[in-house]
């Protein structure tokens, strides 16, 4: 799992987390250092926490080739599977009631299974 560090922010990894209490108050937090990992059964507050994260689907990510040409990451399974595995590891450490993924790539059964296994708890 990716540790919650400033290195994640350098790579553009900063899930947005909001907490909504029973009274309807909202407290927004940005970045993994604010997310908390909970032990089973542990509660931090009475309410709901929602996290959103843009996983940047491989069909949208452009990779510059040594020749100077640009190719889509979806052409390189070893690259996109490794990157998505790091994202799943990082997201598995976020304690949230709801996790919303943006730009999720449904075309890859491997990625779908990776997210289902890694985030099923």
């Amino acid at each position: 799992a990716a540790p919650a560090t400033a290195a994640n922010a350098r790579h553009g990894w900063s899930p947005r987390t909001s907490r909504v209490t029973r009274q309807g108050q909202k407290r927004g937090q940005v970045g993994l250092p604010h997310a908390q990992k909970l032990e089973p059964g542990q509660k931090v507050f009475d309410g709901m926490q929602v996290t959103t994260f843009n996983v940047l689907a491989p069909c949208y990510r452009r990779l510059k080739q040594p020749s100077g040409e640009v190719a889509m990451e979806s052409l390189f399974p070893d690259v996109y599977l490794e990157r998505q595995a790091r994202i799943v590891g990082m997201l598995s450490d976020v304690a949230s009631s709801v996790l919303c993924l943006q730009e999720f790539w449904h075309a890859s059964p491997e990625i779908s299974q990776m997210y289902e296994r890694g985030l099923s708890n």
Side-chain angles (χ1 to χ4, degrees):
T5 65
N8 289 340
R10 283 196 307 271
H11 295 289
W13 297 354
S14 59
R16 298 188 185 277
T17 303
S18 296
R19 294 179 178 174
V20 180
T21 66
R22 285 188 180 170
Q23 293 79 28
Q25 301 166 334
K26 182 178 178 182
R27 295 186 328 204
Q29 298 180 338
V30 177
L32 279 179
H34 301 290
Q36 299 173 3
K37 185 171 182 175
L38 300 178
E39 298 301 321
Q42 180 184 2
K43 285 188 173 182
V44 173
F45 64 95
D46 235 359
M48 182 170 92
Q49 181 172 320
V50 178
T51 301
T52 63
F53 188 78
N54 187 323
V55 297
L56 185 56
C59 60
Y60 298 138
R61 185 170 184 230
R62 294 171 177 85
L63 301 175
K64 189 172 183 180
Q65 302 302 300
S67 66
E69 293 185 23
V70 174
M72 303 314 283
E73 184 186 46
S74 58
L75 299 173
F76 306 98
D78 55 328
V79 174
Y80 70 72
L81 287 171
E82 191 272 331
R83 183 174 67 87
Q84 295 293 321
R86 286 194 324 261
I87 292 170
V88 169
M90 179 197 56
L91 291 173
S92 69
D93 288 340
V94 175
S96 192
S97 305
V98 177
L99 178 60
C100 303
L101 301 178
Q102 301 151 354
E103 294 189 17
F104 183 82
W105 199 35
H106 296 279
S108 170
E110 295 91 356
I111 289 180
S112 294
Q113 291 169 4
M114 180 188 307
Y115 277 83
E116 286 174 15
R117 282 191 309 267
L119 302 176
S120 63
N121 57 6

